[in-house]
Amino acid sequence: MNEYAIHPLDASTWDAFARLAEKHNGMGFGGCWCTWFHSREGRPEGEMGRPWKERLVREGKAHAALVFDGDAAVAWCQYGSPEELTNIHHRKDYEANRTEELPDYRLTCIFVDRDWRRKGVAGVALRGALDLIANAGGGVVEGYPQDTQGKKISAKFLYNTTRSLYEQTGFTYLRPKGKNHCVMRRTVPPLVTSKFQATPPARHAQRSPKR
């Protein structure tokens, strides 16, 4: 069985992340380099894809748990504050039905190298993100997996994996969100000590319930 290591996405791991992204043509959403969910605030005009993602990473404005097999990054789980990750699928539906406060963190994308799929690596990435969040002080974490209702779906369409994986990782189902998606939450307690080192994303100044 492979022994994977978790490292945060930062300047030191950027090259490994870039190699994984290049292997998969910049990932989904038109080769977005995992920028689709980010806020557009402060983005230089015309800067998109790889240059924009690299800028965010080097400025500490993009966060993810990278799964390493040796020297190769084989998966990641993107996380960040709602201010950092403002764009989510079915956002209008989400806002119209939200009654609770915004979470401290969102999980918006889980991606696995095609050569490592169906080996449990998505779960490693998800748990790795939660460990990094715990190391940064913990908090309420929200995810938006696909609710497949038992149907088999190709891995390339599961940008945030399935409800069942989130349930196995301690998340609680809150409500549906748009077509075949749902909102799930769990609270992650802070870690006193950890082998992981991470810079926490900027927290939002105020969280208020939807009225």
Side-chain angles (χ1 to χ4, degrees):
M1 181 178 179
N2 293 59
E3 291 187 7
Y4 301 108
I6 300 293
H7 297 287
L9 174 62
D10 57 22
S12 69
T13 56
W14 168 257
D15 288 343
F17 171 83
R19 286 191 292 271
L20 178 57
E22 288 171 344
K23 177 178 178 179
H24 297 85
N25 300 315
M27 289 77 74
F29 305 118
C32 76
W33 277 74
C34 209
T35 61
W36 194 93
F37 299 102
H38 280 292
S39 167
R40 304 297 186 264
E41 183 177 353
R43 185 181 72 178
E45 185 175 356
E47 188 169 274
M48 301 173 65
R50 176 174 180 156
W52 176 231
K53 185 67 174 187
E54 185 169 4
R55 179 190 293 271
L56 290 172
V57 170
R58 295 191 183 280
E59 292 179 354
K61 298 177 181 178
H63 298 81
L66 294 181
V67 181
F68 278 80
D69 185 357
D71 294 330
V74 298
W76 75 78
C77 178
Q78 183 183 50
Y79 68 92
S81 69
E83 284 71 26
E84 184 176 300
L85 300 170
T86 58
N87 298 311
I88 56 176
H89 279 303
H90 309 296
R91 183 176 176 179
K92 289 183 178 180
D93 176 272
Y94 173 85
E95 292 294 346
N97 292 288
R98 180 173 67 86
T99 58
E100 55 281 300
E101 292 183 341
L102 285 171
D104 296 299
Y105 294 90
R106 283 173 167 164
L107 307 179
T108 52
C109 184
I110 297 175
F111 186 90
V112 178
D113 185 308
R114 57 176 170 264
D115 296 325
W116 271 263
R117 290 173 186 166
R118 302 192 183 283
K119 297 179 180 180
V121 181
V124 176
L126 175 55
R127 293 187 293 273
L130 297 179
D131 282 333
L132 291 176
I133 289 170
N135 189 54
V140 176
V141 182
E142 198 168 79
Y144 316 105
Q146 279 89 327
D147 191 353
T148 62
Q149 299 179 357
K151 298 178 182 178
K152 289 186 177 181
I153 298 178
S154 173
K156 67 180 180 180
F157 296 114
L158 291 174
Y159 69 88
N160 206 6
T161 71
T162 63
R163 173 180 172 178
S164 61
L165 178 60
Y166 273 72
E167 288 175 336
Q168 293 166 19
T169 318
F171 282 78
T172 299
Y173 176 89
L174 291 185
R175 61 181 179 277
K177 179 174 73 71
K179 183 179 180 181
N180 299 327
H181 292 74
C182 61
V183 180
M184 302 189 75
R185 279 193 174 195
R186 66 163 289 182
T187 298
V188 175
L191 285 182
V192 176
T193 59
S194 172
K195 63 181 178 181
F196 302 121
Q197 298 296 322
T199 301
R203 299 293 186 89
H204 38 280
Q206 182 177 7
R207 291 180 287 136
S208 59
K210 179 71 175 180
R211 297 184 184 279

mmCIF file of all heavy atoms in Angstrom, residues 68-97:
data_model
loop_
_atom_site.group_PDB
_atom_site.id
_atom_site.type_symbol
_atom_site.label_atom_id
_atom_site.label_comp_id
_atom_site.label_asym_id
_atom_site.label_seq_id
_atom_site.Cartn_x
_atom_site.Cartn_y
_atom_site.Cartn_z
ATOM 1 N N PHE A 68 1.263 13.701 -2.077
ATOM 2 C CA PHE A 68 2.494 13.302 -2.761
ATOM 3 C C PHE A 68 2.718 11.804 -2.641
ATOM 4 O O PHE A 68 2.564 11.219 -1.563
ATOM 5 C CB PHE A 68 3.694 14.033 -2.157
ATOM 6 C CG PHE A 68 3.897 15.429 -2.677
ATOM 7 C CD1 PHE A 68 3.128 16.471 -2.177
ATOM 8 C CD2 PHE A 68 4.832 15.696 -3.662
ATOM 9 C CE1 PHE A 68 3.307 17.768 -2.648
ATOM 10 C CE2 PHE A 68 5.025 16.979 -4.138
ATOM 11 C CZ PHE A 68 4.262 18.019 -3.644
ATOM 12 N N ASP A 69 3.099 11.202 -3.761
ATOM 13 C CA ASP A 69 3.617 9.844 -3.793
ATOM 14 C C ASP A 69 5.085 9.986 -4.195
ATOM 15 O O ASP A 69 5.391 10.194 -5.369
ATOM 16 C CB ASP A 69 2.856 8.989 -4.800
ATOM 17 C CG ASP A 69 3.285 7.532 -4.769
ATOM 18 O OD1 ASP A 69 4.209 7.205 -4.006
ATOM 19 O OD2 ASP A 69 2.713 6.724 -5.519
ATOM 20 N N GLY A 70 5.965 9.939 -3.235
ATOM 21 C CA GLY A 70 7.358 10.264 -3.504
ATOM 22 C C GLY A 70 7.484 11.752 -3.798
ATOM 23 O O GLY A 70 7.003 12.587 -3.035
ATOM 24 N N ASP A 71 8.095 12.075 -4.943
ATOM 25 C CA ASP A 71 8.277 13.473 -5.322
ATOM 26 C C ASP A 71 7.146 13.995 -6.197
ATOM 27 O O ASP A 71 7.157 15.172 -6.572
ATOM 28 C CB ASP A 71 9.604 13.641 -6.085
ATOM 29 C CG ASP A 71 10.817 13.365 -5.207
ATOM 30 O OD1 ASP A 71 10.730 13.605 -3.992
ATOM 31 O OD2 ASP A 71 11.842 12.911 -5.753
ATOM 32 N N ALA A 72 6.197 13.156 -6.530
ATOM 33 C CA ALA A 72 5.131 13.543 -7.448
ATOM 34 C C ALA A 72 3.852 13.898 -6.707
ATOM 35 O O ALA A 72 3.397 13.145 -5.835
ATOM 36 C CB ALA A 72 4.855 12.416 -8.447
ATOM 37 N N ALA A 73 3.274 15.039 -7.050
ATOM 38 C CA ALA A 73 1.945 15.386 -6.544
ATOM 39 C C ALA A 73 0.918 14.631 -7.378
ATOM 40 O O ALA A 73 0.911 14.729 -8.611
ATOM 41 C CB ALA A 73 1.713 16.890 -6.660
ATOM 42 N N VAL A 74 0.048 13.859 -6.703
ATOM 43 C CA VAL A 74 -0.893 13.016 -7.427
ATOM 44 C C VAL A 74 -2.349 13.399 -7.174
ATOM 45 O O VAL A 74 -3.259 12.830 -7.779
ATOM 46 C CB VAL A 74 -0.676 11.527 -7.084
ATOM 47 C CG1 VAL A 74 0.730 11.085 -7.499
ATOM 48 C CG2 VAL A 74 -0.907 11.255 -5.602
ATOM 49 N N ALA A 75 -2.582 14.359 -6.296
ATOM 50 C CA ALA A 75 -3.957 14.792 -6.013
ATOM 51 C C ALA A 75 -3.906 16.053 -5.172
ATOM 52 O O ALA A 75 -2.864 16.404 -4.605
ATOM 53 C CB ALA A 75 -4.737 13.703 -5.267
ATOM 54 N N TRP A 76 -5.044 16.732 -5.109
ATOM 55 C CA TRP A 76 -5.151 17.858 -4.193
ATOM 56 C C TRP A 76 -6.591 18.071 -3.778
ATOM 57 O O TRP A 76 -7.530 17.612 -4.428
ATOM 58 C CB TRP A 76 -4.608 19.158 -4.788
ATOM 59 C CG TRP A 76 -5.475 19.804 -5.811
ATOM 60 C CD1 TRP A 76 -6.603 20.561 -5.616
ATOM 61 C CD2 TRP A 76 -5.296 19.750 -7.212
ATOM 62 N NE1 TRP A 76 -7.123 20.991 -6.794
ATOM 63 C CE2 TRP A 76 -6.337 20.494 -7.805
ATOM 64 C CE3 TRP A 76 -4.347 19.143 -8.036
ATOM 65 C CZ2 TRP A 76 -6.460 20.641 -9.179
ATOM 66 C CZ3 TRP A 76 -4.475 19.292 -9.402
ATOM 67 C CH2 TRP A 76 -5.513 20.037 -9.949
ATOM 68 N N CYS A 77 -6.756 18.813 -2.685
ATOM 69 C CA CYS A 77 -8.067 19.270 -2.221
ATOM 70 C C CYS A 77 -7.947 20.763 -1.961
ATOM 71 O O CYS A 77 -7.179 21.184 -1.093
ATOM 72 C CB CYS A 77 -8.498 18.532 -0.961
ATOM 73 S SG CYS A 77 -10.096 19.100 -0.293
ATOM 74 N N GLN A 78 -8.683 21.558 -2.728
ATOM 75 C CA GLN A 78 -8.647 23.015 -2.577
ATOM 76 C C GLN A 78 -9.518 23.441 -1.397
ATOM 77 O O GLN A 78 -10.628 22.937 -1.215
ATOM 78 C CB GLN A 78 -9.152 23.667 -3.856
ATOM 79 C CG GLN A 78 -9.104 25.187 -3.847
ATOM 80 C CD GLN A 78 -9.681 25.776 -5.117
ATOM 81 O OE1 GLN A 78 -10.780 25.417 -5.543
ATOM 82 N NE2 GLN A 78 -8.949 26.679 -5.736
ATOM 83 N N TYR A 79 -9.011 24.383 -0.598
ATOM 84 C CA TYR A 79 -9.796 24.934 0.503
ATOM 85 C C TYR A 79 -9.460 26.403 0.669
ATOM 86 O O TYR A 79 -8.436 26.902 0.177
ATOM 87 C CB TYR A 79 -9.533 24.167 1.806
ATOM 88 C CG TYR A 79 -8.147 24.338 2.383
ATOM 89 C CD1 TYR A 79 -7.869 25.341 3.314
ATOM 90 C CD2 TYR A 79 -7.095 23.496 2.010
ATOM 91 C CE1 TYR A 79 -6.601 25.499 3.851
ATOM 92 C CE2 TYR A 79 -5.822 23.644 2.533
ATOM 93 C CZ TYR A 79 -5.583 24.646 3.456
ATOM 94 O OH TYR A 79 -4.317 24.802 3.972
ATOM 95 N N GLY A 80 -10.323 27.120 1.370
ATOM 96 C CA GLY A 80 -10.081 28.535 1.628
ATOM 97 C C GLY A 80 -11.307 29.170 2.241
ATOM 98 O O GLY A 80 -12.374 28.552 2.346
ATOM 99 N N SER A 81 -11.167 30.410 2.649
ATOM 100 C CA SER A 81 -12.290 31.144 3.234
ATOM 101 C C SER A 81 -13.309 31.481 2.152
ATOM 102 O O SER A 81 -12.992 31.456 0.947
ATOM 103 C CB SER A 81 -11.793 32.436 3.876
ATOM 104 O OG SER A 81 -11.362 33.348 2.868
ATOM 105 N N PRO A 82 -14.552 31.817 2.527
ATOM 106 C CA PRO A 82 -15.547 32.223 1.535
ATOM 107 C C PRO A 82 -15.115 33.454 0.736
ATOM 108 O O PRO A 82 -15.514 33.601 -0.419
ATOM 109 C CB PRO A 82 -16.792 32.516 2.378
ATOM 110 C CG PRO A 82 -16.664 31.603 3.550
ATOM 111 C CD PRO A 82 -15.191 31.627 3.860
ATOM 112 N N GLU A 83 -14.278 34.329 1.329
ATOM 113 C CA GLU A 83 -13.780 35.481 0.587
ATOM 114 C C GLU A 83 -12.761 35.056 -0.467
ATOM 115 O O GLU A 83 -12.680 35.655 -1.532
ATOM 116 C CB GLU A 83 -13.133 36.490 1.548
ATOM 117 C CG GLU A 83 -14.136 37.299 2.348
ATOM 118 C CD GLU A 83 -14.845 36.456 3.393
ATOM 119 O OE1 GLU A 83 -14.290 35.444 3.841
ATOM 120 O OE2 GLU A 83 -15.973 36.834 3.770
ATOM 121 N N GLU A 84 -11.983 34.037 -0.152
ATOM 122 C CA GLU A 84 -10.988 33.534 -1.094
ATOM 123 C C GLU A 84 -11.648 32.720 -2.201
ATOM 124 O O GLU A 84 -11.240 32.796 -3.369
ATOM 125 C CB GLU A 84 -9.978 32.672 -0.336
ATOM 126 C CG GLU A 84 -8.820 32.160 -1.169
ATOM 127 C CD GLU A 84 -7.820 31.410 -0.312
ATOM 128 O OE1 GLU A 84 -7.259 32.035 0.625
ATOM 129 O OE2 GLU A 84 -7.609 30.215 -0.545
ATOM 130 N N LEU A 85 -12.653 31.946 -1.833
ATOM 131 C CA LEU A 85 -13.352 31.074 -2.784
ATOM 132 C C LEU A 85 -14.814 31.515 -2.859
ATOM 133 O O LEU A 85 -15.703 30.890 -2.301
ATOM 134 C CB LEU A 85 -13.235 29.613 -2.342
ATOM 135 C CG LEU A 85 -11.790 29.092 -2.251
ATOM 136 C CD1 LEU A 85 -11.746 27.729 -1.587
ATOM 137 C CD2 LEU A 85 -11.147 29.030 -3.636
ATOM 138 N N THR A 86 -15.037 32.603 -3.555
ATOM 139 C CA THR A 86 -16.383 33.190 -3.617
ATOM 140 C C THR A 86 -17.304 32.470 -4.583
ATOM 141 O O THR A 86 -18.524 32.495 -4.421
ATOM 142 C CB THR A 86 -16.296 34.664 -4.041
ATOM 143 O OG1 THR A 86 -15.629 34.746 -5.313
ATOM 144 C CG2 THR A 86 -15.517 35.483 -3.028
ATOM 145 N N ASN A 87 -16.737 31.839 -5.596
ATOM 146 C CA ASN A 87 -17.551 31.236 -6.655
ATOM 147 C C ASN A 87 -17.772 29.753 -6.390
ATOM 148 O O ASN A 87 -16.819 28.982 -6.303
ATOM 149 C CB ASN A 87 -16.862 31.422 -8.009
ATOM 150 C CG ASN A 87 -16.705 32.872 -8.379
ATOM 151 O OD1 ASN A 87 -17.654 33.644 -8.299
ATOM 152 N ND2 ASN A 87 -15.502 33.265 -8.769
ATOM 153 N N ILE A 88 -19.006 29.378 -6.248
ATOM 154 C CA ILE A 88 -19.370 27.971 -6.094
ATOM 155 C C ILE A 88 -20.495 27.663 -7.066
ATOM 156 O O ILE A 88 -21.247 28.552 -7.477
ATOM 157 C CB ILE A 88 -19.823 27.643 -4.648
ATOM 158 C CG1 ILE A 88 -20.987 28.536 -4.217
ATOM 159 C CG2 ILE A 88 -18.648 27.773 -3.688
ATOM 160 C CD1 ILE A 88 -21.546 28.195 -2.845
ATOM 161 N N HIS A 89 -20.594 26.407 -7.469
ATOM 162 C CA HIS A 89 -21.684 26.004 -8.360
ATOM 163 C C HIS A 89 -23.030 26.214 -7.671
ATOM 164 O O HIS A 89 -23.157 26.021 -6.472
ATOM 165 C CB HIS A 89 -21.540 24.531 -8.760
ATOM 166 C CG HIS A 89 -20.556 24.327 -9.870
ATOM 167 N ND1 HIS A 89 -20.656 24.946 -11.086
ATOM 168 C CD2 HIS A 89 -19.442 23.555 -9.944
ATOM 169 C CE1 HIS A 89 -19.659 24.578 -11.870
ATOM 170 N NE2 HIS A 89 -18.912 23.739 -11.195
ATOM 171 N N HIS A 90 -24.012 26.628 -8.456
ATOM 172 C CA HIS A 90 -25.373 26.859 -7.940
ATOM 173 C C HIS A 90 -25.356 27.888 -6.811
ATOM 174 O O HIS A 90 -26.043 27.737 -5.802
ATOM 175 C CB HIS A 90 -26.001 25.547 -7.467
ATOM 176 C CG HIS A 90 -25.926 24.441 -8.473
ATOM 177 N ND1 HIS A 90 -26.571 24.501 -9.695
ATOM 178 C CD2 HIS A 90 -25.281 23.253 -8.442
ATOM 179 C CE1 HIS A 90 -26.324 23.377 -10.378
ATOM 180 N NE2 HIS A 90 -25.534 22.622 -9.632
ATOM 181 N N ARG A 91 -24.584 28.935 -7.006
ATOM 182 C CA ARG A 91 -24.420 29.947 -5.954
ATOM 183 C C ARG A 91 -25.741 30.639 -5.612
ATOM 184 O O ARG A 91 -26.029 30.901 -4.439
ATOM 185 C CB ARG A 91 -23.390 30.978 -6.403
ATOM 186 C CG ARG A 91 -23.078 32.041 -5.354
ATOM 187 C CD ARG A 91 -21.977 32.959 -5.835
ATOM 188 N NE ARG A 91 -21.720 34.037 -4.901
ATOM 189 C CZ ARG A 91 -20.786 34.970 -5.097
ATOM 190 N NH1 ARG A 91 -20.045 34.942 -6.196
ATOM 191 N NH2 ARG A 91 -20.629 35.932 -4.201
ATOM 192 N N LYS A 92 -26.565 30.949 -6.625
ATOM 193 C CA LYS A 92 -27.839 31.611 -6.361
ATOM 194 C C LYS A 92 -28.734 30.729 -5.494
ATOM 195 O O LYS A 92 -29.380 31.207 -4.559
ATOM 196 C CB LYS A 92 -28.530 31.961 -7.671
ATOM 197 C CG LYS A 92 -27.850 33.089 -8.449
ATOM 198 C CD LYS A 92 -28.632 33.440 -9.696
ATOM 199 C CE LYS A 92 -27.975 34.594 -10.451
ATOM 200 N NZ LYS A 92 -28.728 34.944 -11.688
ATOM 201 N N ASP A 93 -28.772 29.448 -5.808
ATOM 202 C CA ASP A 93 -29.571 28.508 -5.027
ATOM 203 C C ASP A 93 -29.020 28.429 -3.600
ATOM 204 O O ASP A 93 -29.777 28.426 -2.626
ATOM 205 C CB ASP A 93 -29.538 27.131 -5.689
ATOM 206 C CG ASP A 93 -30.270 26.069 -4.895
ATOM 207 O OD1 ASP A 93 -29.639 25.430 -4.013
ATOM 208 O OD2 ASP A 93 -31.460 25.868 -5.140
ATOM 209 N N TYR A 94 -27.717 28.405 -3.475
ATOM 210 C CA TYR A 94 -27.072 28.337 -2.156
ATOM 211 C C TYR A 94 -27.449 29.541 -1.310
ATOM 212 O O TYR A 94 -27.849 29.409 -0.143
ATOM 213 C CB TYR A 94 -25.563 28.261 -2.350
ATOM 214 C CG TYR A 94 -24.756 28.341 -1.072
ATOM 215 C CD1 TYR A 94 -24.509 27.202 -0.315
ATOM 216 C CD2 TYR A 94 -24.230 29.558 -0.633
ATOM 217 C CE1 TYR A 94 -23.758 27.268 0.855
ATOM 218 C CE2 TYR A 94 -23.487 29.634 0.528
ATOM 219 C CZ TYR A 94 -23.248 28.499 1.272
ATOM 220 O OH TYR A 94 -22.517 28.570 2.428
ATOM 221 N N GLU A 95 -27.323 30.735 -1.869
ATOM 222 C CA GLU A 95 -27.613 31.951 -1.112
ATOM 223 C C GLU A 95 -29.101 32.068 -0.780
ATOM 224 O O GLU A 95 -29.470 32.550 0.294
ATOM 225 C CB GLU A 95 -27.147 33.182 -1.894
ATOM 226 C CG GLU A 95 -25.639 33.304 -2.021
ATOM 227 C CD GLU A 95 -24.947 33.542 -0.686
ATOM 228 O OE1 GLU A 95 -25.637 33.880 0.299
ATOM 229 O OE2 GLU A 95 -23.720 33.377 -0.625
ATOM 230 N N ALA A 96 -29.957 31.635 -1.695
ATOM 231 C CA ALA A 96 -31.396 31.749 -1.461
ATOM 232 C C ALA A 96 -31.864 30.854 -0.326
ATOM 233 O O ALA A 96 -32.854 31.164 0.358
ATOM 234 C CB ALA A 96 -32.160 31.410 -2.736
ATOM 235 N N ASN A 97 -31.146 29.752 -0.086
ATOM 236 C CA ASN A 97 -31.593 28.779 0.910
ATOM 237 C C ASN A 97 -30.729 28.752 2.167
ATOM 238 O O ASN A 97 -31.017 27.985 3.086
ATOM 239 C CB ASN A 97 -31.621 27.378 0.283
ATOM 240 C CG ASN A 97 -32.694 27.244 -0.780
ATOM 241 O OD1 ASN A 97 -33.884 27.195 -0.470
ATOM 242 N ND2 ASN A 97 -32.280 27.208 -2.043
#
